[in-house]
């Protein structure tokens, strides 16, 4: 039995169908625009970095001498306000128009048979202070001197008169075999210490600027805090985008918030490939890693599983909890007494906001610490630009060199500055108008000296 539609009803519906489809199209376009605006965070305002520090002569001098700390950081308009895109573009693209600085590779035998390597890049001009200053740089997880962000930063630093020494994380360089069954770990400072000692011996008059990116930030802060002698001849330390506590960071990596679990999986996959590329080095009689551990590696989907199966065993930790607690700089960073600049981004998808309480609290308690938090930048991105294409130099590259330049001048005038700081501390009044004039004159003297010597 068949039925037929009423011709009059069909005639009535026909004019309504195009209007209905137009409404659906508009709804689809509106939905897409809403998703794009939300994902790209286009409604977010550009703001100057949030700076947390104690009110000292040094902090006032830095804020006056480093405009990038107080002016708006402006990322590319169309995509730069998304921490995910900043992070992804940094990870895949690195930097644009990346230079290729020429350096010399150094090999350092370690007591356990491993061979540390670092690349040394000489300055391309005299430093503005007329002194000898070397940046000792520790890259991020599994990185080395050939990564694009390191090459860009080194080239910029060389052109400003800095010698650069870049650690190549143990096992990270392609086509370079391990000489002992051990890789770099989250907080092992042995290779970085060997590089610093080598630089000090080769250049007895050089002063050091310690710089760490991501995992490298943890390494350098831990290195300086482990022993007061490690801070000898160090002008300052700058750490960018680190997480401070490995245990707390790994706990947040198991959450789906901000796609952290996805990033965890990607980082774990990269670590698996790196470990398996040295498989033959681990399957030796002197190795703590065997077929059982490597078989567990194949099933790992997170960094914590890899650290438990492989990484903690390089240094004999009984549990992954002990490994994280001992290798995190949060246990040592309070011992750092040189000027310490800690830089993070609010929209870093790899560093949970709860971890930023560590540097914030430290900067409130210690006069040598300054915590700089940008609204945008992602993880190690910090691209700048007007609309679409980013600039070759990032905000991160420029702010590090700008702050180091200022601290080098501060080091030149340190005796006078320390006397002034002592007077301020012993004064009953916080800062009287007279002391403000003295302080202002002191800061201007430093800035004028730097202007005349350039």
């Amino acid at each position: 039995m068949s039925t037929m539609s009423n011709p009059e009803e069909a005639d009535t519906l026909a004019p309504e169908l195009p209007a209905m489809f137009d409404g659906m199209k508009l709804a689809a376009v509106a939905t897409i625009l809403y998703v794009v605006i939300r994902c790209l965070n286009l409604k977010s305002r550009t703001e100057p970095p949030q700076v947390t520090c104690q009110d000292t002569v040094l902090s006032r001098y830095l804020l006056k001498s480093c405009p990038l700390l107080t002016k708006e950081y402006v990322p590319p308009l169309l995509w730069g306000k998304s921490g995910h895109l900043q992070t992804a573009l940094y990870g895949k693209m690195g930097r644009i128009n990346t230079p290729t600085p020429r350096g010399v590779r150094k090999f350092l035998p370690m007591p356990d048979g491993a061979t540390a390597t670092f690349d040394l890049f000489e300055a391309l001009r005299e430093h503005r202070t007329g002194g000898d200053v070397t940046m000792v740089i520790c890259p991020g997880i599994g990185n080395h001197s050939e990564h694009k962000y390191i090459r860009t930063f080194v080239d910029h630093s060389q052109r400003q008169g800095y010698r650069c020494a870049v650690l190549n994380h143990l096992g990270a360089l392609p086509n370079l075999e391990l000489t002992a069954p051990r890789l770099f770990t989250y907080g092992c400072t042995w290779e970085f210490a060997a590089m610093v000692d080598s630089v000090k011996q080769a250049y007895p008059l050089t002063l050091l600027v310690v710089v760490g990116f991501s995992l490298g930030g943890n390494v350098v802060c831990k290195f300086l805090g482990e022993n007061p002698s490690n801070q000898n001849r160090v002008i300052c330390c700058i750490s960018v985008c680190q997480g401070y506590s490995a245990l707390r960071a790994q706990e947040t990596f198991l959450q789906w918030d901000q796609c952290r679990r996805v990033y965890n999986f990607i980082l774990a996959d990269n670590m698996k490939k790196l470990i398996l590329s040295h498989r033959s080095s681990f399957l030796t009689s002197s190795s703590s890693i065997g077929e059982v551990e490597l078989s567990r590696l194949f099933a790992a989907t997170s960094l914590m599983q890899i650290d438990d199966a492989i990484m903690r065993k390089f240094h004999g930790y009984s549990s992954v909890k002990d490994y994280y607690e001992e290798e995190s700089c949060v246990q040592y960073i309070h011992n750092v007494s040189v000027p310490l600049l800690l830089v993070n981004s609010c929209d870093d998808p790899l560093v949970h906001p709860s971890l930023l309480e560590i540097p914030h609290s430290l900067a409130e308690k210690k006069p040598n610490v300054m915590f700089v938090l940008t609204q945008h930048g992602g993880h190690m991105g910090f691209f700048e630009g007007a609309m679409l294409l980013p600039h070759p130099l990032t905000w991160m590259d420029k702010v590090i060199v700008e702050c180091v330049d200022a601290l080098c001048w501060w080091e030149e005038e340190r005796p006078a500055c320390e006397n002034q700081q002592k007077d301020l501390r012993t004064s009953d009044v916080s800062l009287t108008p007279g002391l403000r004039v003295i302080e202002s004159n002191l800061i201007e003297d430093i800035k004028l000296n730097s202007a005349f010597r350039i």
Side-chain angles (χ1 to χ4, degrees), residues 97-352:
N97 300 328
T98 309
T100 307
R102 296 179 178 273
V104 178
R105 182 153 295 165
K106 304 287 186 178
F107 295 82
L108 301 173
M110 304 296 292
D112 65 345
T115 303
T117 66
F118 72 95
D119 287 10
L120 190 66
F121 304 88
E122 290 295 338
L124 298 179
R125 52 165 285 183
E126 184 180 358
H127 193 268
R128 289 175 177 138
T129 63
D132 186 305
V133 186
T134 304
M135 288 197 183
V136 283
I137 302 166
C138 191
I141 183 170
N143 292 175
H144 46 74
S145 64
E146 296 172 12
H147 276 74
K148 288 185 177 181
Y149 75 98
I150 293 292
R151 286 161 49 189
T152 302
F153 177 69
V154 165
D155 179 75
H156 180 49
S157 301
Q158 285 181 289
R159 295 179 187 279
Q160 305 307 311
Y162 295 97
R163 179 188 300 110
C164 295
V166 183
L167 180 69
N168 300 308
H169 282 300
L170 196 62
L173 280 172
N175 305 317
L176 188 64
E177 292 295 326
L178 296 173
T179 58
R182 177 172 67 85
L183 286 175
F184 73 94
T185 58
Y186 180 71
C188 178
T189 59
W190 296 353
E191 291 82 43
F192 188 77
M195 179 181 77
V196 170
D197 287 343
S198 177
V199 170
K200 285 182 175 180
Q201 292 176 16
Y203 305 96
L205 299 180
T206 195
L207 296 176
L208 303 179
V209 172
V210 179
V211 181
F213 298 105
S214 193
L215 173 142
N218 179 75
V219 171
V220 299
C221 290
K222 181 172 179 282
F223 165 74
L224 292 177
E226 284 176 331
N227 192 323
S229 64
N230 292 342
Q231 300 176 52
N232 292 343
R233 292 164 57 183
V234 173
I235 295 175
C236 64
C237 174
I238 299 179
S239 163
V240 182
C241 287
Q242 69 149 310
Y244 306 98
S245 170
L247 183 61
R248 289 168 60 181
Q250 292 304 323
E251 290 171 351
T252 65
F253 262 154
L254 299 177
Q255 302 170 2
W256 286 103
D257 178 50
Q258 292 294 310
C259 301
R260 286 189 181 84
R261 190 131 194 173
V262 176
Y263 287 104
N264 193 0
F265 179 82
I266 294 171
L267 291 171
D269 189 58
N270 291 337
M271 278 301 301
K272 282 198 286 188
K273 292 175 182 176
L274 182 61
I275 293 169
L276 291 173
S277 70
H278 296 288
R279 180 189 180 98
S280 59
S281 298
F282 297 133
L283 299 178
T284 62
S285 58
S286 60
S287 175
S288 58
I289 308 299
E291 288 286 2
V292 174
E293 286 78 13
L294 290 176
S295 64
R296 290 178 60 194
L297 184 66
F298 287 104
T301 58
S302 70
L303 285 174
M304 184 177 287
Q305 290 173 331
I306 293 175
D307 291 337
D308 191 25
I310 304 289
M311 308 303 285
R312 69 174 176 84
K313 298 186 178 181
F314 291 137
H315 296 290
Y317 291 104
S318 59
S319 69
V320 72
K321 182 176 182 292
D322 290 343
Y323 168 68
Y324 287 150
E325 287 182 344
E326 183 59 30
E327 300 224 340
S328 293
C329 74
V330 71
Q331 308 287 345
Y332 305 88
I333 196 170
H334 59 278
N335 296 326
V336 178
S337 58
V338 298
L340 177 59
L341 181 67
L342 306 172
V343 182
N344 286 93
S345 169
C346 284
D347 64 357
D348 186 338
L350 273 63
V351 179
H352 193 274

